[in-house]
């Protein structure tokens, strides 16, 4: 797969479905609390929202879906909750991959997997290998991921392979070393659960993504909620530093030359 250059070089149309959607799935704990259930019940229901979202993305022709499942800071949670999340990750890997595979989905995991138990690492590797040949939706799950970690590991790997760049390097030198160099930068970022922050998700790659925040709690997120996010995206004008007039006239030129 080719490494994509910065998506900020061109101005993609926003009238279609976004090519890459990245989601912070937040609000599981509050969903459970509202129902007087333990927090982990919210995580369990959250998996159903994952299923619905993946299915909706496949149906709508989204090419890349990236889900933030566990941040590098989530280890700070109570041990029991972390343990439950790991168990849930294991059972999802065991139970969902065949279905994803039969729907043509490619599965990838990004993040520092070295901190996970060997069983999880093995299941992730098996899932990636099993689905590697598919050409449908590319589903990336970010686990023990942090945007700052990603930047550090990218610089470290780059300098190890190309020590001559220590004297200076460009974005295009660094881009191939990010965990998600196989995907274009997200067009649409969604955060559920009402908070309006990035929480150390894809810091580098979100530079020019359209941001969408919703109060919907993750377990309540579904195809209709996804459509609302996409509809919001479709109303945006992405300018990447240019003026609106430049963007509009660029579109006219493109339309004329396309015939
Ligand atoms: C997101 O939901 C799931 C993870 C971070 C793993 P939360 O568990 O953060 O839910 P709230 O924010 O406490 O409601
Ligand atoms: C972000 O949610 C991480 C994931 C959804 C995996 P958090 O609930 O951990 O974020 P903060 O702590 O409220 O910023
Ligand atoms: Mg949260």
């Amino acid at each position: 797969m080719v490494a994509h250059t910065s998506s900020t070089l061109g101005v993609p149309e926003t009238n279609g479905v976004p090519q890459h959607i990245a989601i912070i799935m937040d609000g599981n704990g509050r969903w459970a609390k509202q129902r007087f259930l333990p927090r982990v019940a919210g995580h369990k229901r959250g998996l159903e929202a994952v299923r619905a979202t993946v299915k909706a993305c496949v149906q709508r022709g989204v090419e890349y879906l990236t889900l933030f499942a566990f941040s590098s800071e989530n280890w700070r949670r109570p041990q029991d909750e972390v343990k439950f999340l790991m168990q849930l990750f294991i059972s999802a890997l065991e139970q969902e991959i065949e279905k994803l595979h039969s729907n043509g989905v490619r599965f990838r995991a990004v993040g520092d997997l070295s901190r996970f138990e060997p069983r999880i690492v093995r299941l992730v590797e098996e899932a990636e290998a099993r689905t590697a040949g598919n050409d449908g939706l590319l589903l990336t799950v970010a686990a023990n991921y942090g945007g700052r970690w990603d930047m550090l590991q990218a610089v470290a790997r780059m300098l190890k392979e190309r020590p001559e760049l220590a004297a200076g390097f460009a974005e295009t030198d660094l881009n191939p070393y990010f965990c998600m160099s196989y995907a274009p930068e997200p067009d649409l970022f969604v955060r559920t659960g009402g908070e309006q922050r990035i929480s150390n998700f894809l810091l580098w790659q979100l530079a020019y993504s359209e941001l969408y925040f919703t109060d919907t709690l993750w377990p309540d997120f579904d195809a209709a909620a996804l459509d609302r996010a996409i509809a919001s995206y479709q109303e945006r004008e992405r300018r990447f530093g240019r003026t609106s007039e430049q963007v509009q006239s660029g579109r006219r030129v493109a339309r004329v030359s396309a015939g």
Side-chain angles (χ1 to χ4, degrees):
M1 222 176 298
V2 288
H4 290 258
T5 51
S6 174
S7 69
T8 61
L9 293 176
V11 180
E13 297 274 359
T14 54
N15 52 10
V17 288
Q19 190 186 7
H20 183 177
I21 302 180
I23 307 182
I24 297 187
M25 310 183 287
D26 195 21
N28 293 350
R30 279 162 286 165
W31 182 92
K33 199 171 173 198
Q34 284 175 357
R35 287 160 182 78
F36 306 100
L37 295 168
R39 290 179 55 81
V40 296
H43 297 317
K44 220 171 136 188
R45 271 300 283 264
L47 186 58
E48 285 178 38
V50 170
R51 283 190 202 106
T53 303
V54 170
K55 188 175 164 199
C57 284
V58 169
Q59 288 169 342
R60 283 154 186 73
V62 173
E63 290 174 50
Y64 300 88
L65 173 66
T66 303
L67 300 175
F68 203 8
F70 192 86
S71 77
S72 45
E73 289 72 34
N74 286 145
W75 298 105
R76 297 171 184 164
R77 294 195 175 196
Q79 236 187 10
D80 281 356
E81 183 171 341
V82 170
K83 220 169 133 191
F84 183 91
L85 285 167
M86 294 301 140
Q87 243 359 91
L88 194 64
F89 196 25
I90 290 173
S91 62
L93 285 165
E94 284 174 345
Q95 287 162 29
E96 308 291 330
I97 295 300
E98 270 320 299
K99 209 171 84 196
L100 292 175
H101 181 56
S102 60
N103 283 297
V105 174
R106 277 177 293 175
F107 174 85
R108 297 283 291 256
V110 294
D112 183 4
L113 297 184
S114 68
R115 202 164 155 191
F116 288 120
E117 51 181 286
R119 184 169 172 205
I120 294 185
V121 178
R122 199 184 64 241
L123 283 168
V124 164
E125 285 168 357
E126 283 170 9
E128 288 181 340
R130 177 90 175 112
T131 61
N134 293 338
D135 59 6
L137 174 74
L138 204 165
L139 170 65
T140 300
V141 171
N144 192 20
Y145 178 87
R148 290 181 177 177
W149 167 82
D150 196 6
M151 289 183 191
L152 293 177
Q153 70 79 31
V155 172
R157 283 203 299 138
M158 182 192 72
L159 291 180
K160 194 163 176 222
E161 261 180 47
R162 301 180 63 194
E164 72 280 8
L165 292 179
F169 55 89
E171 276 183 38
T172 45
D173 294 317
L174 189 60
N175 277 336
Y177 296 93
F178 285 103
C179 290
M180 289 199 64
S181 60
Y182 54 84
E185 292 165 17
D187 300 292
L188 173 62
F189 160 94
V190 174
R191 182 174 187 142
T192 63
E195 313 296 352
Q196 303 198 356
R197 53 179 173 250
I198 307 288
S199 297
N200 201 14
F201 195 25
L202 301 157
L203 297 178
W204 176 272
Q205 299 85 342
L206 291 174
Y208 269 103
S209 305
E210 294 299 325
L211 307 181
Y212 177 84
F213 299 94
T214 170
D215 289 336
T216 302
L217 302 172
W218 178 250
D220 292 326
F221 197 83
D222 57 9
L226 180 75
D227 285 337
R228 286 194 290 277
I230 293 175
S232 169
Y233 170 81
Q234 289 171 340
E235 283 167 11
R236 318 271 179 104
E237 181 183 65
R238 304 183 77 183
R239 292 193 282 273
F240 301 99
R242 299 170 183 84
T243 66
S244 183
E245 289 71 22
Q246 287 177 301
V247 173
Q248 295 304 328
S249 73
R251 297 241 181 280
R252 275 194 296 279
V253 170
R255 268 195 299 274
V256 170
S257 57

